[in-house]
Amino acid sequence: MTNEWIAGWVSHPARRPWWRNTGTGRATFASSIKLMSLTIASIILLAMATEAISGDLVQERQYLRVKIGGKDVRLEALFVKRADARGRLPIALFNHGRPAVGAMALDRSLFNDPGINPIADIARRGWLVVAIHRRGFGLSDGQIQSDSPCAADTFMGWMNSDADDIEASIGAVTRRPDADPTKMIAIGESAGGAASLALGARNVPGLAAVINIAGGEHLAGCAAVNDSIPLDFRNLGTRSHIPNLWVFAKNDLNHPLDQIEVMRTAFTAGGADLKLALLEPIGEDGHTGLSSNAGRTQWLTELDNFLRAHDLPTWPLSSLDVVLQKLQWPATSRAYVQAYLTAPGEKAFARTPGKQNAAYRTAPTLDDARKLALDACQQKGEHCVVVMEDDRWIGAP
């Protein structure tokens, strides 16, 4: 990747999409001819829609037509990539978690969900990210899995059912002209991480790694999970032949440390390649805390190290030298610049021209990140300007 990774700039403003998910229901092809015509028309419009979600990224909303269990199923999907990307890109299959209340699944939106930020983080690292609403979520067909019964075989049933949706989608994703089917990763949070583990155990051609963010077996009040974990995770580890990265916070209320250790021991006993990263406590509950800016700041560092170790794309270390040169800073500032480049978006870097006074901040929106960075930089009474937004240099040459 060239220095354009830093220098690139796309002037499209972020816009609120007109297709926001309202969660008011879904159409099926068993409906009347009139309803079917409207559905087909909406599919065509949705498949063609491409919008900027930030200055450096574009998104595309689609319905994927797949077969699951011999049935035709429509799954809602969001594709995100760098606006300056060219050619075929490695594919990151991003898998969401489950809401605390099953009925909330219909209200999930691939655009307005805060989960768009980690999707953007991965896209900025050079991936074509596809987030797929599994059956029963958002505008996808089908029903969400029930929270019962509490039985030892329930958990693998859930994981495999979710993996069925992801695997069925791969064929549709890899037919895109901007997708490289020979290099894929599966990355998921919570239940999406567990689904990624089940997919990884299927040794799908082209799948190079699994990144599990706080995913495992959990059902509140169900003691059967204690019996199922050793068996299920040994089974998964025995069948998994690709590298795994697992990231958990030490205060994960869904997965206490002793349970994480049982999962790890069982998985590696089956011969799996696993790197486990245990992060310091994040907020009141590390399970949800991993989605925060503070959480992503930690696990993105683990992700970058893992991807580099396995020769998979992420931001190039050569960019450190490019930014230092633009700042006209010494090599002793390398760690500070690296921390910025690794940090989650949205983010902004402000500095005093000609001096080493600088500050960067992350925030849910780029506007907030700019303001926070400027405020922090100007605390010493110096005039400051924003010179970087996300991974783009926008300052004077």
Side-chain angles (χ1 to χ4, degrees):
M1 195 174 294
T2 69
N3 292 346
E4 291 178 356
W5 189 87
I6 291 294
W9 171 259
V10 179
S11 60
H12 303 303
R15 295 183 290 272
R16 185 179 183 87
W18 54 264
W19 55 77
R20 178 178 179 180
N21 174 13
T22 60
T24 56
R26 54 172 62 83
T28 70
F29 283 103
S31 303
S32 66
I33 296 297
K34 179 179 180 180
L35 184 57
M36 179 164 55
S37 299
L38 291 172
T39 302
I40 293 173
S42 67
I43 290 170
I44 293 172
L45 287 172
L46 191 57
M48 292 174 62
T50 301
E51 290 283 343
I53 62 171
S54 187
D56 60 337
L57 300 174
V58 291
Q59 69 159 3
E60 180 183 340
R61 296 286 294 275
Q62 285 189 1
Y63 289 121
L64 303 181
R65 293 289 184 181
V66 301
K67 280 192 177 292
I68 303 174
K71 297 181 179 179
D72 290 323
V73 179
R74 182 191 70 176
L75 299 178
E76 184 188 14
L78 171 69
F79 292 86
V80 180
K81 65 180 181 179
R82 294 181 61 91
D84 59 1
R86 300 293 182 269
R88 292 186 177 273
L89 305 176
I91 303 164
L93 303 160
F94 188 91
N95 306 304
H96 59 74
R98 302 178 66 196
V101 179
M104 295 172 61
L106 287 176
D107 298 324
R108 293 293 292 268
S109 167
L110 283 171
F111 185 88
N112 296 297
D113 193 303
I116 187 65
N117 278 27
I119 293 172
D121 291 332
I122 299 164
R124 289 189 174 107
R125 283 160 167 78
W127 296 83
L128 171 65
V129 185
V130 52
I132 299 165
H133 263 162
R134 301 187 295 275
R135 283 171 289 177
F137 287 86
L139 299 179
S140 292
D141 291 340
Q143 296 181 338
I144 188 174
Q145 297 173 26
S146 164
D147 282 339
S148 61
C150 171
D153 61 352
T154 293
F155 305 97
M156 275 306 302
W158 288 352
M159 292 163 72
N160 280 322
S161 178
D162 287 343
D164 288 343
D165 293 15
I166 305 164
E167 186 174 16
S169 302
I170 289 176
V173 173
T174 56
R175 285 193 294 271
R176 291 173 56 102
D178 56 354
D180 180 358
T182 69
K183 189 174 292 184
M184 299 185 291
I185 59 172
I187 178 169
E189 299 177 310
S190 191
S196 300
L197 294 176
L199 181 72
R202 299 181 180 187
N203 300 299
V204 175
L207 189 64
V210 168
I211 295 93
N212 170 26
I213 311 296
E217 296 185 359
H218 170 77
L219 180 58
C222 180
V225 69
N226 297 323
D227 299 322
S228 66
I229 284 178
L231 298 175
D232 292 347
F233 276 77
R234 184 179 180 92
N235 177 285
L236 289 169
T238 300
R239 294 184 290 116
S240 179
H241 303 305
I242 57 176
N244 278 247
L245 170 66
W246 294 6
V247 182
F248 288 88
K250 292 180 180 179
N251 65 329
D252 189 314
L253 299 186
N254 281 10
H255 305 291
L257 287 174
D258 57 347
Q259 187 191 86
I260 295 170
E261 178 58 22
V262 171
M263 292 191 294
R264 184 201 67 80
T265 300
F267 193 75
T268 54
D273 178 355
L274 170 62
K275 166 69 186 305
L276 172 63
L278 284 175
L279 307 182
E280 293 304 315
I282 305 170
E284 295 183 359
D285 178 5
H287 190 77
T288 56
L290 286 173
S291 297
S292 68
N293 273 33
R296 283 158 50 220
T297 295
Q298 295 187 57
W299 68 254
L300 284 172
T301 298
E302 299 291 344
L303 175 66
D304 287 333
N305 292 338
F306 176 82
L307 293 175
R308 291 191 183 104
H310 295 285
D311 295 320
L312 293 169
T314 187
W315 66 269
L317 288 173
S318 60
S319 296
L320 279 169
D321 296 322
V322 175
V323 176
L324 284 170
Q325 183 178 17
K326 288 179 177 294
L327 290 168
Q328 297 182 338
W329 282 6
T332 53
S333 300
R334 191 176 182 87
Y336 188 81
V337 174
Q338 181 166 352
Y340 172 79
L341 295 177
T342 303
E346 302 292 331
K347 58 188 176 184
F349 188 107
R351 57 90 55 101
T352 300
K355 298 184 179 181
Q356 282 191 254
N357 178 50
Y360 71 84
R361 292 293 185 270
T362 65
T365 70
L366 190 52
D367 283 344
D368 288 341
R370 290 189 196 103
K371 183 180 184 304
L372 291 170
L374 284 170
D375 289 346
C377 181
Q378 291 168 164
Q379 285 183 358
K380 294 183 179 180
E382 302 277 4
H383 169 68
C384 295
V385 295
V386 173
V387 293
M388 290 195 71
E389 294 177 344
D390 292 317
D391 58 24
R392 307 182 307 279
W393 178 269
I394 63 167

